[in-house]
Every structure is written in structure tokens, then in C-alpha cells.
Amino acid sequence: MKKLIVLIIVLAFNLTLKAQEIKWISLNKALELQKENPKKIMMDVYTNWCGPCKMLDKQTFQNKDVVAYVNKNYYAVKFNGEGNEAINYKGDSFGNPNYDKTRANSRNSAHEFADFMGINAYPTIAFLNEKGEFVIPLKGFHEPQQLEFYLKMLANDKYMELTTQEKFIEYQNSFKPEFKS
């Protein structure tokens, strides 16, 4: 009987952990899914050597409010800006011809797609709309409540109304974060 109780507790704990993870997929998969079910894309552009990228993974992308919101409103993509994944985007193919597998966990050459998107700092969270078009890059580490501002602004298309600096500042000042730290 005690073994059964322990087993149930272990299984419940594992299910809880699984439920609190962002459902990461590749960019190619997200673009494919958009064809049948249009949804915005949040793409975490990271590198293996980047300390702030690891902080973003542990402190922000593990936050239950961030996880729930991202999984509901976005296709979440992990993309190594110095990796060797083949990307097919809007009829073009991108790779990393200078990728050196012996340097996989240290600085490597930039991926052609990262260059194409103008991403030159890590981490960068790139947001794409339902058509797979680049909207904005969000550079650097962000706490859950800092990221919440952008997640919600982009998910509800509010960014399209913020055509001046004054409108952006007004929106920013009136924003009330709800995510817990």
C-alpha cells in the first residue's frame, strides 16, 4: 500500500512538472502549423554559451504564468542563433555553412537566419505574426513581468495601434502586470 501511495505521489509530481513547461517546437514546425491554425510565434534565439540565455530559461520560461500564457497564445520556438539547424522561411533556405561542431558549446559562426532577421545579440526573443512575418526583436534577459508586457501587447495586436512614442509610453504606463514573479 505504501508503495502505491509513493508511486501516485511521484506520478502526480511528474505531471505537475510537465504541465509547467513551454511547448517548444522548431521554427519549421511552427511555420507549418500556422498554415492550418494561424498563431503568433515567440522565438527564443539563444546560444549554448550565453549566460543570460540560461537565466531566461530558468527564471522566466519556467514561470507558471509565462508558461500558461505562451502555450495558449503562441507557437514557442527555440532557435540556436549559432547552431546548424536548416531553416526554410518564405521560400528561402538558411543554414550555417561555417558551423564548427567542435565549438558547439562555445562561440560559433552566426546562423544565416539570425543574420537575415538582424539578430546579433543573445538572448533575443523574436516575435512573428500569424503570417510568419517578423514583428519585433526583444533583446536581452527579461523577468516574467517585463516579458508579460510584450507578450500581451503582441498577442492582442495592441502594438499596431502604438504608432508614436507617446502612444507607446502611455500604453506602457497604463499596463498593469498580472504575472507573479
Side-chain angles (χ1 to χ4, degrees), residues 5 8 15 23 25 50 53 68 83 91 117 122 160:
I5 292 171
I8 290 170
L15 289 174
K23 298 172 188 157
I25 58 176
C50 167
C53 298
M117 300 291 276
Y122 307 105
M160 296 173 96

Side-chain angles (χ1 to χ4, degrees), residues 110-128:
H111 195 285
E112 291 172 334
F113 189 70
D115 285 342
F116 175 78
M117 300 291 276
I119 296 170
N120 57 12
Y122 307 105
T124 293
I125 302 172
F127 290 94
L128 289 77

Side-chain angles (χ1 to χ4, degrees), residues 27 43-50 53 77-85 87 94-100 103-104 106-124 126:
L27 180 59
M43 181 170 61
D44 174 28
V45 185
Y46 71 97
T47 63
N48 292 335
W49 52 264
C50 167
C53 298
V77 170
K78 278 273 193 201
F79 174 67
N80 185 341
E82 294 181 355
N84 63 348
E85 177 183 3
I87 299 291
F94 298 89
N96 190 346
N98 297 317
Y99 178 78
D100 180 354
R103 298 177 51 97
S106 61
R107 290 189 186 264
N108 216 314
S109 64
H111 195 285
E112 291 172 334
F113 189 70
D115 285 342
F116 175 78
M117 300 291 276
I119 296 170
N120 57 12
Y122 307 105
T124 293

Side-chain angles (χ1 to χ4, degrees), residues 24-68:
W24 298 106
I25 58 176
S26 70
L27 180 59
N28 290 334
K29 182 68 174 173
L31 293 169
E32 182 182 314
L33 290 169
Q34 276 190 327
K35 292 174 186 172
E36 291 180 31
N37 183 21
K39 209 173 180 181
K40 291 177 176 64
I41 295 172
M42 180 197 80
M43 181 170 61
D44 174 28
V45 185
Y46 71 97
T47 63
N48 292 335
W49 52 264
C50 167
C53 298
K54 290 173 176 47
M55 286 174 45
L56 191 62
D57 274 340
K58 289 181 181 163
Q59 294 179 25
T60 303
F61 293 147
Q62 297 296 318
N63 176 283
K64 66 180 176 113
D65 294 321
V66 171
V67 170

